[in-house]
Coordinates of all heavy atoms in Angstrom, one line a residue:
Y234 N 13.3 9.5 -3.8 CA 12.0 9.0 -4.3 C 12.2 8.4 -5.7 O 12.9 9.0 -6.5 CB 11.0 10.2 -4.3 CG 9.7 9.7 -4.7 CD1 8.8 9.1 -3.8 CD2 9.3 9.7 -6.1 CE1 7.6 8.6 -4.3 CE2 8.1 9.2 -6.5 CZ 7.2 8.7 -5.6 OH 6.1 8.1 -6.0
P235 N 11.7 7.3 -6.0 CA 10.8 6.4 -5.3 C 11.5 5.1 -4.7 O 11.4 4.0 -5.3 CB 9.8 5.9 -6.4 CG 10.7 5.8 -7.6 CD 11.8 6.8 -7.4
Q241 N 13.3 -0.5 -7.5 CA 14.3 0.4 -7.0 C 14.9 0.0 -5.7 O 16.1 0.1 -5.5 CB 13.7 1.8 -6.9 CG 13.5 2.6 -8.3 CD 12.6 1.9 -9.2 OE1 11.7 1.2 -8.9 NE2 12.9 2.0 -10.5
C371 N 11.4 14.9 -17.7 CA 10.7 13.6 -17.3 C 11.6 12.4 -17.7 O 11.7 11.4 -17.0 CB 9.3 13.5 -17.9 SG 9.3 13.6 -19.7
S374 N 14.6 12.0 -15.3 CA 14.2 11.6 -13.9 C 13.6 10.2 -13.8 O 13.4 9.7 -12.7 CB 13.3 12.6 -13.3 OG 13.8 13.9 -13.5
C375 N 13.1 9.7 -14.9 CA 12.3 8.4 -14.8 C 13.2 7.3 -14.3 O 14.2 6.9 -14.9 CB 11.8 8.0 -16.2 SG 10.9 6.4 -16.1
P376 N 12.9 6.7 -13.1 CA 13.7 5.6 -12.5 C 13.6 4.3 -13.3 O 14.4 3.4 -13.1 CB 13.2 5.5 -11.1 CG 11.8 6.0 -11.1 CD 11.7 7.0 -12.2
S377 N 12.6 4.2 -14.2 CA 12.5 3.0 -15.0 C 13.1 3.1 -16.3 O 13.0 2.2 -17.2 CB 11.0 2.6 -15.1 OG 10.4 2.4 -13.9
G378 N 13.7 4.2 -16.6 CA 14.4 4.4 -17.9 C 13.5 4.5 -19.1 O 13.8 4.1 -20.2
L379 N 12.3 5.0 -18.9 CA 11.3 5.1 -20.0 C 11.3 6.5 -20.6 O 12.0 7.4 -20.2 CB 9.9 4.8 -19.4 CG 9.7 3.4 -18.7 CD1 8.4 3.3 -18.0 CD2 9.9 2.3 -19.7
L380 N 10.4 6.7 -21.6 CA 10.2 8.0 -22.2 C 8.8 8.5 -21.8 O 7.9 8.3 -22.6 CB 10.3 7.9 -23.7 CG 11.7 7.4 -24.3 CD1 11.6 7.2 -25.8 CD2 12.8 8.5 -24.0
P381 N 8.7 9.1 -20.7 CA 7.3 9.4 -20.2 C 6.6 10.4 -21.1 O 5.4 10.2 -21.3 CB 7.6 10.1 -18.8 CG 8.9 9.6 -18.4 CD 9.7 9.4 -19.7
C382 N 7.3 11.3 -21.7 CA 6.6 12.3 -22.6 C 5.9 11.5 -23.8 O 4.8 11.8 -24.1 CB 7.5 13.4 -23.1 SG 9.1 12.8 -23.6
L384 N 5.2 8.3 -24.0 CA 4.2 7.4 -23.5 C 2.9 8.1 -23.2 O 1.8 7.6 -23.4 CB 4.7 6.6 -22.2 CG 5.7 5.5 -22.5 CD1 6.2 5.0 -21.1 CD2 5.0 4.4 -23.2
A401 N 5.4 0.5 -21.8 CA 4.5 1.2 -20.8 C 4.3 0.4 -19.6 O 4.1 0.9 -18.5 CB 3.2 1.5 -21.5
D403 N 6.2 -1.3 -17.9 CA 7.3 -1.2 -16.9 C 7.2 0.0 -16.0 O 8.0 0.2 -15.1 CB 8.7 -1.2 -17.6 CG 9.1 -2.6 -18.1 OD1 8.5 -3.6 -17.6 OD2 10.0 -2.7 -18.9
C404 N 6.3 0.9 -16.3 CA 6.1 2.1 -15.5 C 5.6 1.7 -14.1 O 4.7 0.9 -14.0 CB 5.0 3.0 -16.2 SG 4.5 4.3 -15.1
I405 N 6.3 2.2 -13.1 CA 5.9 1.8 -11.7 C 5.0 2.9 -11.1 O 4.7 2.8 -9.9 CB 7.2 1.7 -10.8 CG1 8.0 3.0 -10.9 CG2 8.0 0.5 -11.3 CD1 9.1 3.0 -9.8
E406 N 4.5 3.8 -11.9 CA 3.5 4.8 -11.5 C 4.0 5.6 -10.4 O 3.2 6.0 -9.5 CB 2.2 4.1 -11.2 CG 1.6 3.3 -12.5 CD 0.3 2.7 -12.2 OE1 -0.4 3.0 -11.3 OE2 0.0 1.8 -13.0
C407 N 5.3 6.0 -10.4 CA 5.8 6.7 -9.2 C 5.4 8.2 -9.3 O 5.5 8.9 -8.3 CB 7.3 6.6 -9.2 SG 8.1 7.4 -10.6
G408 N 5.0 8.7 -10.5 CA 4.6 10.1 -10.6 C 5.7 11.1 -10.7 O 5.4 12.3 -10.7
I409 N 6.9 10.7 -10.8 CA 8.0 11.6 -10.9 C 7.9 12.5 -12.1 O 8.1 13.7 -12.1 CB 9.4 10.9 -10.8 CG1 9.7 10.4 -9.4 CG2 10.5 11.8 -11.3 CD1 11.0 9.7 -9.3
C410 N 7.5 11.9 -13.2 CA 7.4 12.6 -14.5 C 6.4 13.8 -14.4 O 6.7 14.9 -14.8 CB 7.1 11.7 -15.6 SG 5.7 10.5 -15.2
S411 N 5.3 13.5 -13.8 CA 4.3 14.6 -13.6 C 4.9 15.6 -12.7 O 4.7 16.8 -12.9 CB 3.0 14.0 -13.0 OG 2.5 13.0 -13.8
I420 N 1.2 13.3 -16.7 CA 1.7 12.2 -17.5 C 1.4 10.8 -16.9 O 1.0 9.9 -17.6 CB 3.3 12.3 -17.5 CG1 3.6 13.8 -18.0 CG2 3.9 11.3 -18.5 CD1 5.1 14.1 -17.9
V421 N 1.6 10.7 -15.6 CA 1.4 9.4 -14.9 C -0.1 9.0 -15.1 O -0.4 7.8 -15.2 CB 1.8 9.4 -13.5 CG1 1.0 10.3 -12.6 CG2 1.8 8.0 -12.9
I424 N -0.4 7.5 -18.5 CA 0.2 6.2 -18.6 C -0.5 5.1 -17.8 O -0.7 4.0 -18.2 CB 1.7 6.2 -18.1 CG1 2.5 7.2 -18.9 CG2 2.4 4.9 -18.1 CD1 3.9 7.4 -18.5
K428 N -1.9 1.7 -19.4 CA -1.5 0.4 -18.8 C -2.8 -0.4 -18.5 O -2.9 -1.6 -18.7 CB -0.8 0.6 -17.5 CG 0.7 0.9 -17.7 CD 1.4 1.1 -16.4 CE 1.4 -0.1 -15.5 NZ 2.0 0.2 -14.2
Ligands
LIG501 S1 7.0 7.0 -16.6 FE1 6.3 5.8 -14.9 S2 8.2 5.1 -13.9 FE2 8.8 6.8 -15.2 S3 8.7 8.6 -14.0 FE3 6.7 8.5 -14.9 S4 5.4 7.4 -13.5 FE4 7.6 7.0 -12.8

Side-chain angles (χ1 to χ4, degrees):
Y234 181 83
Q241 280 62 30
C371 57
S374 308
C375 175
S377 301
L379 302 173
L380 297 174
C382 45
L384 283 173
D403 284 343
C404 168
I405 56 170
E406 302 180 17
C407 66
I409 287 181
C410 44
S411 301
I420 308 170
V421 66
I424 299 177
K428 277 177 65 184

